[in-house]
């Protein structure tokens, strides 16, 4: 059983509400927030997330690719985030981020860039409900999946048996079986879902 989280980054930004309708059957909507510092790209901010909140029933899985997410935790929570994920490589102290996300009432997520090892996660990892294993360098959609990071899934499961493990980057019909075999619980898929002729069918195929 694997959950599918289409990534809004690959949708047509000129008609986001319409694009979300195409993926209403998904388990959650993955929303990438990029600050132009942590990654060289800028995507959308809290105002857009808030504008989409009442357009869909989908759970909002918000992935913060930000150098300093701390001042924005409550902002994204108010905008409608259900899960808030920060990068272990960012500048803010993880303990403070975990406690801010918990205090906001959102689920706590932590993402690891491809080169980051599981040992970078301290004791605070016990309070994390979802780990995102990045299988591309964060910043852009449409990249080819790196397979090496998939090894981290079992390491994370061994240390944090109650957390869900999400794979983000380059998921498509070819690579999804590898992620599932490696133990993934959630597959983020941007390009493969939103560029598909039939996004709902693509999601069903990815989940099988
Ligand atoms: C990359 C983002 C991903 C991206 C995935 O920095 O975190 O969520 O949208 O896009 P695809 O599925 O096209 O690799
Ligand atoms: Zn993402």
């Amino acid at each position: 059983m694997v959950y599918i989280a289409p990534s809004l980054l690959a949708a047509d930004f000129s008609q986001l509400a319409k694009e979300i309708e195409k993926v209403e059957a998904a388990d959650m909507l993955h929303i990438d927030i990029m600050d132009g510092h942590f990654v060289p790209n800028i995507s959308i901010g809290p105002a857009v997330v808030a504008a989409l909140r009442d357009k869909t029933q989908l759970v909002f899985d918000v992935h913060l690719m930000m150098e300093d997410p701390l001042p924005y935790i409550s902002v994204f929570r108010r905008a409608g985030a259900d899960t808030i994920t920060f990068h272990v490589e960012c500048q803010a102290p993880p303990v403070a981020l975990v406690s801010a996300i918990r205090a906001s009432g959102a689920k706590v997520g932590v993402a690891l860039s491809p080169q980051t090892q599981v040992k970078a996660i301290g004791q605070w990892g016990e309070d994390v409900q979802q780990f995102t294993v990045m299988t591309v360098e964060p910043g852009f959609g449409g990249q080819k999946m790196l397979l090496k990071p998939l090894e981290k899934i079992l390491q994370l499961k061994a240390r944090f048996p109650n957390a869900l493990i999400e794979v983000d980057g380059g998921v498509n019909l070819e690579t999804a079986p590898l992620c599932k075999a490696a133990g993934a619980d959630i597959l983020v898929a941007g390009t493969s879902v939103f560029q598909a002729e039939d996004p709902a069918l693509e999601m069903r195929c990815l989940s099988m």
Side-chain angles (χ1 to χ4, degrees), residues 30-34 38 43 61-66 83-87 111-112 132 134 138 166 168 188:
H30 185 83
I31 304 178
D32 290 304
I33 308 296
M34 303 176 177
F38 183 75
S43 57
D61 178 38
V62 173
H63 178 190
L64 301 180
M65 282 160 274
M66 302 178 71
T83 300
I84 300 181
T85 294
F86 67 88
H87 266 265
L112 288 84
T132 300
M134 295 292 305
E166 175 175 85
D168 186 8
V188 174

PDB file of all heavy atoms in Angstrom, residues 30-34 38 43 61-66 83-87 111-112 132 134 138 166 168 188:
ATOM      1  N   HIS A  30       1.235  17.495  -2.802  1.00  0.00           N
ATOM      2  CA  HIS A  30       2.578  17.930  -2.402  1.00  0.00           C
ATOM      3  C   HIS A  30       2.818  19.339  -2.952  1.00  0.00           C
ATOM      4  O   HIS A  30       2.669  19.581  -4.142  1.00  0.00           O
ATOM      5  CB  HIS A  30       3.593  16.934  -2.971  1.00  0.00           C
ATOM      6  CG  HIS A  30       5.005  17.167  -2.547  1.00  0.00           C
ATOM      7  ND1 HIS A  30       5.511  16.707  -1.352  1.00  0.00           N
ATOM      8  CD2 HIS A  30       6.029  17.816  -3.153  1.00  0.00           C
ATOM      9  CE1 HIS A  30       6.789  17.052  -1.243  1.00  0.00           C
ATOM     10  NE2 HIS A  30       7.132  17.732  -2.328  1.00  0.00           N
ATOM     11  N   ILE A  31       3.174  20.252  -2.049  1.00  0.00           N
ATOM     12  CA  ILE A  31       3.331  21.657  -2.446  1.00  0.00           C
ATOM     13  C   ILE A  31       4.759  22.102  -2.134  1.00  0.00           C
ATOM     14  O   ILE A  31       5.170  22.143  -0.964  1.00  0.00           O
ATOM     15  CB  ILE A  31       2.304  22.546  -1.713  1.00  0.00           C
ATOM     16  CG1 ILE A  31       0.871  22.029  -1.979  1.00  0.00           C
ATOM     17  CG2 ILE A  31       2.444  23.997  -2.157  1.00  0.00           C
ATOM     18  CD1 ILE A  31      -0.238  22.805  -1.269  1.00  0.00           C
ATOM     19  N   ASP A  32       5.520  22.412  -3.174  1.00  0.00           N
ATOM     20  CA  ASP A  32       6.928  22.776  -3.028  1.00  0.00           C
ATOM     21  C   ASP A  32       7.090  24.280  -2.867  1.00  0.00           C
ATOM     22  O   ASP A  32       6.669  25.059  -3.719  1.00  0.00           O
ATOM     23  CB  ASP A  32       7.711  22.335  -4.276  1.00  0.00           C
ATOM     24  CG  ASP A  32       7.839  20.826  -4.346  1.00  0.00           C
ATOM     25  OD1 ASP A  32       8.349  20.232  -3.374  1.00  0.00           O
ATOM     26  OD2 ASP A  32       7.429  20.249  -5.367  1.00  0.00           O
ATOM     27  N   ILE A  33       7.743  24.672  -1.777  1.00  0.00           N
ATOM     28  CA  ILE A  33       7.997  26.082  -1.504  1.00  0.00           C
ATOM     29  C   ILE A  33       9.510  26.319  -1.609  1.00  0.00           C
ATOM     30  O   ILE A  33      10.288  25.726  -0.855  1.00  0.00           O
ATOM     31  CB  ILE A  33       7.509  26.470  -0.086  1.00  0.00           C
ATOM     32  CG1 ILE A  33       6.038  26.047   0.138  1.00  0.00           C
ATOM     33  CG2 ILE A  33       7.717  27.966   0.163  1.00  0.00           C
ATOM     34  CD1 ILE A  33       5.009  26.718  -0.737  1.00  0.00           C
ATOM     35  N   MET A  34       9.911  27.170  -2.532  1.00  0.00           N
ATOM     36  CA  MET A  34      11.343  27.414  -2.789  1.00  0.00           C
ATOM     37  C   MET A  34      11.649  28.890  -2.625  1.00  0.00           C
ATOM     38  O   MET A  34      10.932  29.732  -3.161  1.00  0.00           O
ATOM     39  CB  MET A  34      11.689  26.975  -4.210  1.00  0.00           C
ATOM     40  CG  MET A  34      11.355  25.524  -4.490  1.00  0.00           C
ATOM     41  SD  MET A  34      11.680  25.138  -6.209  1.00  0.00           S
ATOM     42  CE  MET A  34      11.277  23.378  -6.204  1.00  0.00           C
ATOM     43  N   PHE A  38      17.935  28.601  -0.424  1.00  0.00           N
ATOM     44  CA  PHE A  38      18.252  27.201  -0.146  1.00  0.00           C
ATOM     45  C   PHE A  38      18.383  26.437  -1.457  1.00  0.00           C
ATOM     46  O   PHE A  38      19.189  25.512  -1.584  1.00  0.00           O
ATOM     47  CB  PHE A  38      17.147  26.584   0.729  1.00  0.00           C
ATOM     48  CG  PHE A  38      17.437  25.164   1.120  1.00  0.00           C
ATOM     49  CD1 PHE A  38      18.389  24.885   2.093  1.00  0.00           C
ATOM     50  CD2 PHE A  38      16.784  24.107   0.512  1.00  0.00           C
ATOM     51  CE1 PHE A  38      18.681  23.569   2.441  1.00  0.00           C
ATOM     52  CE2 PHE A  38      17.071  22.801   0.857  1.00  0.00           C
ATOM     53  CZ  PHE A  38      18.016  22.534   1.827  1.00  0.00           C
ATOM     54  N   SER A  43       9.320  29.335  -6.086  1.00  0.00           N
ATOM     55  CA  SER A  43       8.059  28.758  -6.578  1.00  0.00           C
ATOM     56  C   SER A  43       6.885  29.628  -6.151  1.00  0.00           C
ATOM     57  O   SER A  43       6.651  30.671  -6.751  1.00  0.00           O
ATOM     58  CB  SER A  43       7.913  27.300  -6.130  1.00  0.00           C
ATOM     59  OG  SER A  43       7.993  27.193  -4.725  1.00  0.00           O
ATOM     60  N   ASP A  61       0.554  18.668   1.799  1.00  0.00           N
ATOM     61  CA  ASP A  61       1.880  18.190   2.215  1.00  0.00           C
ATOM     62  C   ASP A  61       2.890  19.239   1.741  1.00  0.00           C
ATOM     63  O   ASP A  61       3.276  19.248   0.576  1.00  0.00           O
ATOM     64  CB  ASP A  61       2.104  16.827   1.517  1.00  0.00           C
ATOM     65  CG  ASP A  61       3.448  16.201   1.786  1.00  0.00           C
ATOM     66  OD1 ASP A  61       3.939  16.308   2.930  1.00  0.00           O
ATOM     67  OD2 ASP A  61       4.006  15.570   0.869  1.00  0.00           O
ATOM     68  N   VAL A  62       3.251  20.148   2.642  1.00  0.00           N
ATOM     69  CA  VAL A  62       4.036  21.324   2.243  1.00  0.00           C
ATOM     70  C   VAL A  62       5.528  21.088   2.501  1.00  0.00           C
ATOM     71  O   VAL A  62       5.949  20.845   3.630  1.00  0.00           O
ATOM     72  CB  VAL A  62       3.522  22.584   2.975  1.00  0.00           C
ATOM     73  CG1 VAL A  62       4.427  23.779   2.696  1.00  0.00           C
ATOM     74  CG2 VAL A  62       2.089  22.898   2.534  1.00  0.00           C
ATOM     75  N   HIS A  63       6.305  21.177   1.432  1.00  0.00           N
ATOM     76  CA  HIS A  63       7.746  20.889   1.446  1.00  0.00           C
ATOM     77  C   HIS A  63       8.512  22.206   1.354  1.00  0.00           C
ATOM     78  O   HIS A  63       8.560  22.833   0.303  1.00  0.00           O
ATOM     79  CB  HIS A  63       8.035  19.984   0.231  1.00  0.00           C
ATOM     80  CG  HIS A  63       9.475  19.632   0.047  1.00  0.00           C
ATOM     81  ND1 HIS A  63       9.942  19.000  -1.105  1.00  0.00           N
ATOM     82  CD2 HIS A  63      10.553  19.782   0.850  1.00  0.00           C
ATOM     83  CE1 HIS A  63      11.245  18.800  -0.994  1.00  0.00           C
ATOM     84  NE2 HIS A  63      11.649  19.271   0.169  1.00  0.00           N
ATOM     85  N   LEU A  64       9.089  22.618   2.483  1.00  0.00           N
ATOM     86  CA  LEU A  64       9.777  23.911   2.535  1.00  0.00           C
ATOM     87  C   LEU A  64      11.249  23.761   2.148  1.00  0.00           C
ATOM     88  O   LEU A  64      12.048  23.229   2.927  1.00  0.00           O
ATOM     89  CB  LEU A  64       9.685  24.513   3.938  1.00  0.00           C
ATOM     90  CG  LEU A  64       8.279  24.761   4.500  1.00  0.00           C
ATOM     91  CD1 LEU A  64       8.368  25.370   5.903  1.00  0.00           C
ATOM     92  CD2 LEU A  64       7.463  25.675   3.578  1.00  0.00           C
ATOM     93  N   MET A  65      11.583  24.236   0.971  1.00  0.00           N
ATOM     94  CA  MET A  65      12.996  24.295   0.565  1.00  0.00           C
ATOM     95  C   MET A  65      13.447  25.727   0.825  1.00  0.00           C
ATOM     96  O   MET A  65      13.512  26.572  -0.061  1.00  0.00           O
ATOM     97  CB  MET A  65      13.125  23.906  -0.913  1.00  0.00           C
ATOM     98  CG  MET A  65      13.034  22.393  -1.099  1.00  0.00           C
ATOM     99  SD  MET A  65      12.600  21.913  -2.773  1.00  0.00           S
ATOM    100  CE  MET A  65      10.823  22.017  -2.647  1.00  0.00           C
ATOM    101  N   MET A  66      13.679  25.999   2.127  1.00  0.00           N
ATOM    102  CA  MET A  66      13.974  27.361   2.577  1.00  0.00           C
ATOM    103  C   MET A  66      15.170  27.329   3.508  1.00  0.00           C
ATOM    104  O   MET A  66      15.320  26.424   4.319  1.00  0.00           O
ATOM    105  CB  MET A  66      12.764  27.932   3.352  1.00  0.00           C
ATOM    106  CG  MET A  66      11.475  27.958   2.558  1.00  0.00           C
ATOM    107  SD  MET A  66      10.106  28.591   3.559  1.00  0.00           S
ATOM    108  CE  MET A  66      10.578  30.311   3.672  1.00  0.00           C
ATOM    109  N   THR A  83       0.832  18.903   6.697  1.00  0.00           N
ATOM    110  CA  THR A  83       2.167  18.441   7.070  1.00  0.00           C
ATOM    111  C   THR A  83       3.145  19.518   6.635  1.00  0.00           C
ATOM    112  O   THR A  83       3.002  20.083   5.549  1.00  0.00           O
ATOM    113  CB  THR A  83       2.521  17.121   6.343  1.00  0.00           C
ATOM    114  OG1 THR A  83       1.573  16.123   6.704  1.00  0.00           O
ATOM    115  CG2 THR A  83       3.924  16.636   6.708  1.00  0.00           C
ATOM    116  N   ILE A  84       4.103  19.831   7.504  1.00  0.00           N
ATOM    117  CA  ILE A  84       5.124  20.824   7.149  1.00  0.00           C
ATOM    118  C   ILE A  84       6.494  20.153   7.241  1.00  0.00           C
ATOM    119  O   ILE A  84       6.894  19.672   8.310  1.00  0.00           O
ATOM    120  CB  ILE A  84       5.059  22.067   8.061  1.00  0.00           C
ATOM    121  CG1 ILE A  84       3.673  22.738   7.945  1.00  0.00           C
ATOM    122  CG2 ILE A  84       6.182  23.049   7.700  1.00  0.00           C
ATOM    123  CD1 ILE A  84       3.492  23.996   8.790  1.00  0.00           C
ATOM    124  N   THR A  85       7.173  20.143   6.112  1.00  0.00           N
ATOM    125  CA  THR A  85       8.481  19.483   6.014  1.00  0.00           C
ATOM    126  C   THR A  85       9.575  20.526   5.831  1.00  0.00           C
ATOM    127  O   THR A  85       9.478  21.374   4.946  1.00  0.00           O
ATOM    128  CB  THR A  85       8.482  18.508   4.821  1.00  0.00           C
ATOM    129  OG1 THR A  85       7.565  17.443   5.095  1.00  0.00           O
ATOM    130  CG2 THR A  85       9.868  17.922   4.572  1.00  0.00           C
ATOM    131  N   PHE A  86      10.619  20.427   6.677  1.00  0.00           N
ATOM    132  CA  PHE A  86      11.797  21.280   6.483  1.00  0.00           C
ATOM    133  C   PHE A  86      12.987  20.408   6.115  1.00  0.00           C
ATOM    134  O   PHE A  86      12.951  19.189   6.307  1.00  0.00           O
ATOM    135  CB  PHE A  86      12.080  22.112   7.744  1.00  0.00           C
ATOM    136  CG  PHE A  86      12.515  21.302   8.950  1.00  0.00           C
ATOM    137  CD1 PHE A  86      13.850  20.985   9.174  1.00  0.00           C
ATOM    138  CD2 PHE A  86      11.568  20.845   9.874  1.00  0.00           C
ATOM    139  CE1 PHE A  86      14.240  20.224  10.285  1.00  0.00           C
ATOM    140  CE2 PHE A  86      11.953  20.089  10.988  1.00  0.00           C
ATOM    141  CZ  PHE A  86      13.290  19.779  11.186  1.00  0.00           C
ATOM    142  N   HIS A  87      14.028  21.038   5.601  1.00  0.00           N
ATOM    143  CA  HIS A  87      15.234  20.293   5.228  1.00  0.00           C
ATOM    144  C   HIS A  87      16.214  20.259   6.385  1.00  0.00           C
ATOM    145  O   HIS A  87      16.496  21.298   7.001  1.00  0.00           O
ATOM    146  CB  HIS A  87      15.902  20.929   3.996  1.00  0.00           C
ATOM    147  CG  HIS A  87      15.458  20.290   2.724  1.00  0.00           C
ATOM    148  ND1 HIS A  87      16.163  19.282   2.114  1.00  0.00           N
ATOM    149  CD2 HIS A  87      14.350  20.482   1.985  1.00  0.00           C
ATOM    150  CE1 HIS A  87      15.514  18.897   1.022  1.00  0.00           C
ATOM    151  NE2 HIS A  87      14.408  19.602   0.919  1.00  0.00           N
ATOM    152  N   ALA A 111      13.052  16.533   5.458  1.00  0.00           N
ATOM    153  CA  ALA A 111      13.570  16.072   4.170  1.00  0.00           C
ATOM    154  C   ALA A 111      15.088  15.977   4.203  1.00  0.00           C
ATOM    155  O   ALA A 111      15.760  16.778   4.858  1.00  0.00           O
ATOM    156  CB  ALA A 111      13.136  17.035   3.064  1.00  0.00           C
ATOM    157  N   LEU A 112      15.605  14.977   3.493  1.00  0.00           N
ATOM    158  CA  LEU A 112      17.046  14.797   3.355  1.00  0.00           C
ATOM    159  C   LEU A 112      17.420  14.907   1.876  1.00  0.00           C
ATOM    160  O   LEU A 112      16.903  14.141   1.049  1.00  0.00           O
ATOM    161  CB  LEU A 112      17.479  13.408   3.860  1.00  0.00           C
ATOM    162  CG  LEU A 112      17.468  13.155   5.356  1.00  0.00           C
ATOM    163  CD1 LEU A 112      16.064  12.767   5.811  1.00  0.00           C
ATOM    164  CD2 LEU A 112      18.445  12.042   5.717  1.00  0.00           C
ATOM    165  N   THR A 132      11.201  12.691   4.211  1.00  0.00           N
ATOM    166  CA  THR A 132      11.222  12.759   2.751  1.00  0.00           C
ATOM    167  C   THR A 132      12.628  12.459   2.264  1.00  0.00           C
ATOM    168  O   THR A 132      13.575  13.188   2.586  1.00  0.00           O
ATOM    169  CB  THR A 132      10.779  14.156   2.261  1.00  0.00           C
ATOM    170  OG1 THR A 132       9.450  14.392   2.737  1.00  0.00           O
ATOM    171  CG2 THR A 132      10.805  14.236   0.742  1.00  0.00           C
ATOM    172  N   MET A 134      14.905  12.642  -0.650  1.00  0.00           N
ATOM    173  CA  MET A 134      14.988  13.311  -1.957  1.00  0.00           C
ATOM    174  C   MET A 134      15.832  12.454  -2.899  1.00  0.00           C
ATOM    175  O   MET A 134      16.969  12.093  -2.577  1.00  0.00           O
ATOM    176  CB  MET A 134      15.649  14.692  -1.817  1.00  0.00           C
ATOM    177  CG  MET A 134      14.873  15.715  -1.005  1.00  0.00           C
ATOM    178  SD  MET A 134      13.335  16.273  -1.759  1.00  0.00           S
ATOM    179  CE  MET A 134      13.869  16.844  -3.362  1.00  0.00           C
ATOM    180  N   PRO A 138      17.189  19.062  -4.750  1.00  0.00           N
ATOM    181  CA  PRO A 138      15.989  19.882  -4.650  1.00  0.00           C
ATOM    182  C   PRO A 138      16.118  21.164  -5.492  1.00  0.00           C
ATOM    183  O   PRO A 138      17.210  21.674  -5.677  1.00  0.00           O
ATOM    184  CB  PRO A 138      15.892  20.211  -3.161  1.00  0.00           C
ATOM    185  CG  PRO A 138      17.223  19.909  -2.579  1.00  0.00           C
ATOM    186  CD  PRO A 138      17.851  18.869  -3.457  1.00  0.00           C
ATOM    187  N   GLU A 166       8.599   9.159   2.614  1.00  0.00           N
ATOM    188  CA  GLU A 166       8.178   9.700   1.319  1.00  0.00           C
ATOM    189  C   GLU A 166       9.395   9.767   0.395  1.00  0.00           C
ATOM    190  O   GLU A 166      10.476  10.131   0.847  1.00  0.00           O
ATOM    191  CB  GLU A 166       7.612  11.103   1.567  1.00  0.00           C
ATOM    192  CG  GLU A 166       7.224  11.889   0.342  1.00  0.00           C
ATOM    193  CD  GLU A 166       6.551  13.221   0.726  1.00  0.00           C
ATOM    194  OE1 GLU A 166       7.277  14.215   0.968  1.00  0.00           O
ATOM    195  OE2 GLU A 166       5.316  13.274   0.782  1.00  0.00           O
ATOM    196  N   ASP A 168      10.783  11.651  -3.031  1.00  0.00           N
ATOM    197  CA  ASP A 168      10.485  12.857  -3.813  1.00  0.00           C
ATOM    198  C   ASP A 168      11.554  13.086  -4.878  1.00  0.00           C
ATOM    199  O   ASP A 168      12.712  13.339  -4.549  1.00  0.00           O
ATOM    200  CB  ASP A 168      10.405  14.063  -2.862  1.00  0.00           C
ATOM    201  CG  ASP A 168       9.954  15.338  -3.561  1.00  0.00           C
ATOM    202  OD1 ASP A 168       9.562  15.277  -4.748  1.00  0.00           O
ATOM    203  OD2 ASP A 168       9.984  16.400  -2.902  1.00  0.00           O
ATOM    204  N   VAL A 188       5.921  10.977  -4.173  1.00  0.00           N
ATOM    205  CA  VAL A 188       5.631  12.294  -4.747  1.00  0.00           C
ATOM    206  C   VAL A 188       5.878  12.178  -6.254  1.00  0.00           C
ATOM    207  O   VAL A 188       6.899  11.642  -6.669  1.00  0.00           O
ATOM    208  CB  VAL A 188       6.569  13.379  -4.158  1.00  0.00           C
ATOM    209  CG1 VAL A 188       6.363  14.713  -4.865  1.00  0.00           C
ATOM    210  CG2 VAL A 188       6.327  13.514  -2.662  1.00  0.00           C
TER     211      VAL A 188
END
